[in-house]
Amino acid sequence: MFRLYKYVLLFIFITSNVAFSQEISLFQQFNGRYDYLAIGNTLNTFENNIDRDFCEILPESQADLLLPVNTNIIAAYLYWAGSGEGDLEVSLNSVPFIADDIYLIDYNDSSYGVLTYFSCYADITDYIIATGNATYNFSNLDISETLFNNPGYCGNRTNFAGWSIYIVYEDMDLPLNQVNLFQGLDIINRNVREKIITLDNVNVLDNEGAKIGFLAWEGDALLNYGESLLINDNIISNPPLNPANNAFNGTNTFTNSNTFYNGDIDVYGIQDNITIGDTSVEIKLTTGDLDVNGILQADLIIINNIITVLNSQLPDATVQINAINLECSNRQITIDYTVFNINSTEFLPSNVPIAFYANNELVGTSQTINQIEIGDSENGQITIFIPDHLPNDITITVVVDDIGDGTGIITELNELNNQDTQNIQLLEIVITPLQPITNCDEGFNMAYFDLTLQLDSIKTNGEPTAFFLTLEDLQNNDNDILNPGNFQNTVVPQTIYLKIENQPCYDIYYFDLIVENCPPHVPQVFTPNNDGYNDWFNIQGLYNIFEKHKLLIYNRYGTLIFEGDNNNPWVGKSNKGLNNIGKALPVGTYFYVLYLNDSNYKTLTGWIYLNM
């Protein structure tokens, strides 16, 4: 059977003269085979309203801790309180402790004005575990200056000080319980005669052994006018220690003591005051009534904490984002996460749904695979795509026990701790253009390029670099150019991509390789004697570069003797004229006209000497 207990405090305040307070709210929750006990003592020599002569507190007092056998201490908290604005450092068995926090509350007295009261607490779990069962001596709480400088405390008999230790312990013979510790500082008095505290979002599935405890200060046994403690409108009591009309009367339920002057450590069984199926528990405290003379009398009661122990057997699913792995220039992300069932009293069943949100938009779902035992966890991973309409800066939220619309399918101890969030920025890569590299055509629109020259214009910070022919190859880190210092293009223009590592991603640059026709170089002489050297009119940078050129050769008489093109260079023979066609020409000076047929260049003319 699953049992659910959730607590959210809702306070209904009646108009009062209280200047401020710290609302009692959930401080810690413990789930397991747990229970608690409390020890403590007063620093008052007597009850304020019985002995009205003293105006000081004791320097120390003691209390004995006697835990049941075969128990393990889970948590321990030291509380101390009194008149005034507080003393943050006290001692326990001569060991100093400094307050983790302090609570303050004001009471506007009709005769003395505003009086302040305080309560401090400190987590002393490690110390109690190390010390164990022993006599604990509390000392060094000093409010003497407060009592001396402000006569109102002793004048209206609210001079008090005291301490208490709460211990949550594990006992394997206990049923599975949920222990909820609420704390703060709140007050009822003649100005605020009623306080209602609602423990909301409760799902009572088993009321057997249910109990509630209180730590309160400044209660007086002598002042029992209109004083009551009600649970769900039922007055609770523990006579003779705590009668129905005097709940806060300087008593300690754990020791059956009525000499805890102006302090109360009380616990009540409430299994008859809550019902299976209840969804809330209402606590009402009252004080104040007319005496026999018709004069209003009221006790001043300061509530420090409330603790509940209820039987429960429920899982508590929580989730943690371990890592979000991003891909460069990709809106696909991979989320590593862990589902826990730690603070629970029952196993978490398999197939619990998990929802994944990006900026509150559902982007993926998954589920647990195995049954998760108490205290265990299960790791998971999911790859999801972030929609294009969402920005690069997004909040990822993972919610366990969520079918994708905020609806859960299991009953848990705590329904408010099912999610984890993490802000991420998608790794968008900016592709930066660089100036092109231009080289002279070495034939058929091809040239050799030193791609590494581009590294001179950018900062690499010593990181690895690589050049690629396509953006896809760059992103996949495939087929990088092996010899970027001597690269021959294959098309014109050809785009080259440069990748520079830049954790957590990389930078991308791109540039074009431009092949241009450079001015051809015309030699002054050639020797077509078939010796294998300079046997033809080799105009450098012409053939296979200016593929559409036309070359005309004239003799000294102005007669056209040769006409050539890219496929027909001049080897010293004629192919024009009436005579000697195809025969070697005599030594001498000849004149050329070179039509490059390129809009960037003019027709070239000049002379060439043919020699043998």
Side-chain angles (χ1 to χ4, degrees):
M1 176 184 295
F2 292 110
R3 295 165 167 47
L4 172 64
Y5 301 97
K6 304 177 202 165
Y7 302 86
V8 175
L9 295 185
L10 172 65
F11 293 87
I12 304 174
F13 289 94
I14 299 175
T15 301
S16 70
N17 294 322
V18 177
F20 61 91
S21 65
Q22 286 76 42
E23 295 181 359
I24 295 176
S25 59
L26 182 61
F27 172 62
Q28 293 289 350
Q29 182 185 87
F30 307 91
N31 295 292
R33 300 187 185 278
Y34 299 153
D35 202 346
Y36 91 103
L37 61 78
I39 66 170
N41 209 338
T42 182
L43 292 175
N44 280 27
T45 55
F46 300 99
E47 182 183 311
N48 284 330
N49 280 286
I50 294 178
D51 187 327
R52 305 180 64 87
D53 295 329
F54 74 92
C55 189
E56 67 279 334
I57 65 169
L58 296 169
E60 62 184 16
S61 62
Q62 300 79 35
D64 295 328
L65 174 60
L66 185 60
L67 285 164
V69 296
N70 300 322
T71 58
N72 297 311
I73 296 171
I74 303 301
Y77 303 98
L78 172 64
Y79 298 88
W80 64 95
S83 307
E85 296 185 356
D87 183 352
L88 296 177
E89 184 171 351
V90 296
S91 296
L92 202 60
N93 290 349
S94 300
V95 177
F97 288 96
I98 298 176
D100 293 336
D101 203 352
I102 184 170
Y103 305 121
L104 299 172
I105 194 165
D106 285 350
Y107 167 62
N108 193 347
D109 186 87
S110 58
S111 299
Y112 299 101
V114 175
L115 300 174
T116 300
Y117 308 91
F118 78 93
S119 173
C120 296
Y121 81 89
D123 186 332
I124 60 170
T125 304
D126 292 340
Y127 177 72
I128 296 297
I129 290 175
T131 307
N133 288 336
T135 297
Y136 288 84
N137 186 79
F138 179 87
S139 61
N140 290 331
L141 173 56
D142 185 5
I143 61 170
S144 57
E145 185 176 348
T146 295
L147 299 181
F148 178 80
N149 291 331
N150 192 332
Y153 294 105
C154 295
N156 75 350
R157 305 314 297 162
T158 59
N159 50 302
F160 80 94
W163 62 280
S164 176
I165 301 176
Y166 270 46
I167 301 101
V168 178
Y169 63 87
E170 179 184 43
D171 185 340
M172 299 311 295
D173 292 331
L174 290 172
L176 291 168
N177 292 324
Q178 183 182 74
V179 179
N180 288 283
L181 177 59
F182 306 85
Q183 68 184 41
L185 207 61
D186 222 327
I187 193 169
I188 56 173
N189 50 69
R190 64 173 55 248
N191 299 324
V192 182
R193 295 169 55 190
E194 179 180 279
K195 177 72 63 178
I196 296 177
I197 303 171
T198 301
L199 308 184
D200 212 357
N201 291 333
V202 173
N203 183 11
V204 178
L205 300 179
D206 189 346
N207 60 356
E208 182 177 354
K211 59 184 177 182
I212 191 168
F214 299 86
L215 175 61
W217 305 106
E218 227 303 301
D220 297 278
L222 188 63
L223 294 176
N224 60 344
Y225 295 92
E227 187 172 306
S228 64
L229 174 60
L230 299 90
I231 303 295
N232 289 342
D233 281 331
N234 298 311
I235 294 179
I236 62 173
S237 62
N238 183 22
L241 198 64
N242 297 108
N245 65 345
N246 200 2
F248 302 101
N249 56 355
T251 56
N252 183 340
T253 305
F254 291 94
T255 60
N256 203 36
S257 169
N258 61 0
T259 58
F260 189 21
Y261 302 128
N262 301 103
D264 282 272
I265 303 176
D266 294 326
V267 61
Y268 299 86
I270 57 171
Q271 65 184 41
D272 296 330
N273 303 105
I274 59 174
T275 304
I276 294 174
D278 280 354
T279 58
S280 65
V281 175
E282 182 184 86
I283 302 169
K284 181 186 293 185
L285 305 98
T286 67
T287 188
D289 202 356
L290 301 179
D291 61 16
V292 294
N293 298 315
I295 299 174
L296 176 66
Q297 302 286 348
D299 202 353
L300 187 150
I301 302 165
I302 302 171
I303 305 298
N304 200 163
N305 68 40
I306 301 172
I307 190 167
T308 61
V309 180
L310 299 170
N311 180 249
S312 64
Q313 292 184 13
L314 282 177
D316 184 30
T318 60
V319 66
Q320 174 182 292
I321 299 174
N322 301 321
I324 298 180
N325 300 312
L326 308 177
E327 296 185 19
C328 294
S329 194
N330 196 329
R331 299 184 73 82
Q332 181 173 281
I333 67 173
T334 300
I335 304 174
D336 292 323
Y337 61 91
T338 301
V339 175
F340 297 92
N341 185 35
I342 294 178
N343 192 24
S344 61
T345 55
E346 182 61 286
F347 67 83
L348 184 69
S350 60
N351 301 320
V352 175
I354 308 168
F356 301 83
Y357 299 89
N359 286 5
N360 298 318
E361 179 178 327
L362 183 68
V363 291
T365 60
S366 184
Q367 62 185 20
T368 60
I369 299 173
N370 303 304
Q371 176 176 293
I372 303 176
E373 300 299 328
I374 298 173
D376 284 346
S377 62
E378 178 182 283
N379 295 326
Q381 185 182 88
I382 187 173
T383 298
I384 59 178
F385 183 82
I386 304 301
D388 292 334
H389 65 269
L390 292 179
N392 289 334
D393 293 322
I394 55 177
T395 299
I396 299 297
T397 304
V398 181
V399 187
V400 63
D401 192 26
D402 181 355
I403 63 174
D405 60 3
T407 303
I409 65 171
I410 62 172
T411 302
E412 300 181 64
L413 284 171
N414 187 350
E415 299 283 0
L416 303 178
N417 62 352
N418 288 23
Q419 71 177 43
D420 193 17
T421 62
Q422 185 170 321
N423 296 324
I424 65 170
Q425 183 174 22
L426 297 179
L427 298 178
E428 182 182 38
I429 300 175
V430 177
I431 303 178
T432 305
L434 298 175
Q435 292 296 320
I437 300 178
T438 301
N439 269 358
C440 293
D441 189 353
E442 298 180 29
F444 300 111
N445 292 318
M446 291 191 296
Y448 284 92
F449 297 85
D450 184 359
L451 307 182
T452 63
L453 293 175
Q454 292 287 21
L455 301 179
D456 296 335
S457 62
I458 56 179
K459 293 181 179 180
T460 65
N461 297 319
E463 295 294 332
T465 62
F467 295 87
F468 298 86
L469 296 177
T470 67
L471 186 58
E472 181 180 4
D473 281 348
L474 182 148
Q475 292 170 336
N476 296 328
N477 214 36
D478 290 334
N479 305 316
D480 58 310
I481 297 173
L482 298 179
N483 187 10
N486 190 31
F487 174 77
Q488 187 179 46
N489 68 295
T490 56
V491 296
V492 177
Q494 184 160 24
T495 302
I496 301 297
Y497 297 90
L498 168 60
K499 179 179 183 180
I500 300 179
E501 297 297 331
N502 186 11
Q503 296 300 324
C505 204
Y506 51 82
D507 298 327
I508 297 178
Y509 299 86
Y510 72 94
F511 56 93
D512 286 338
L513 301 181
I514 305 297
V515 177
E516 66 178 4
N517 294 341
C518 294
H521 174 69
V522 182
Q524 294 289 285
V525 63
F526 79 104
T527 57
N529 55 11
N530 296 320
D531 64 356
Y533 176 75
N534 200 23
D535 285 333
W536 62 289
F537 187 24
N538 185 9
I539 302 176
Q540 300 294 319
L542 175 65
Y543 292 95
N544 299 328
I545 297 172
F546 294 89
E547 293 98 333
K548 297 181 180 181
H549 77 268
K550 183 177 181 181
L551 176 64
L552 302 178
I553 303 295
Y554 296 87
N555 63 18
R556 61 182 177 171
Y557 302 110
T559 302
L560 178 65
I561 61 170
F562 179 82
E563 181 177 335
D565 57 24
N566 194 63
N567 298 314
N568 186 20
W570 185 36
V571 295
K573 297 179 180 180
S574 65
N575 64 5
K576 293 291 182 180
L578 299 177
N579 301 310
N580 300 322
I581 294 177
K583 294 182 179 182
L585 294 168
V587 173
T589 301
Y590 295 86
F591 300 90
Y592 65 83
V593 177
L594 178 58
Y595 299 98
L596 296 175
N597 292 321
D598 186 315
S599 59
N600 294 320
Y601 292 92
K602 296 179 180 180
T603 299
L604 301 180
T605 60
W607 59 268
I608 178 71
Y609 184 76
L610 185 153
N611 197 7
M612 290 296 177

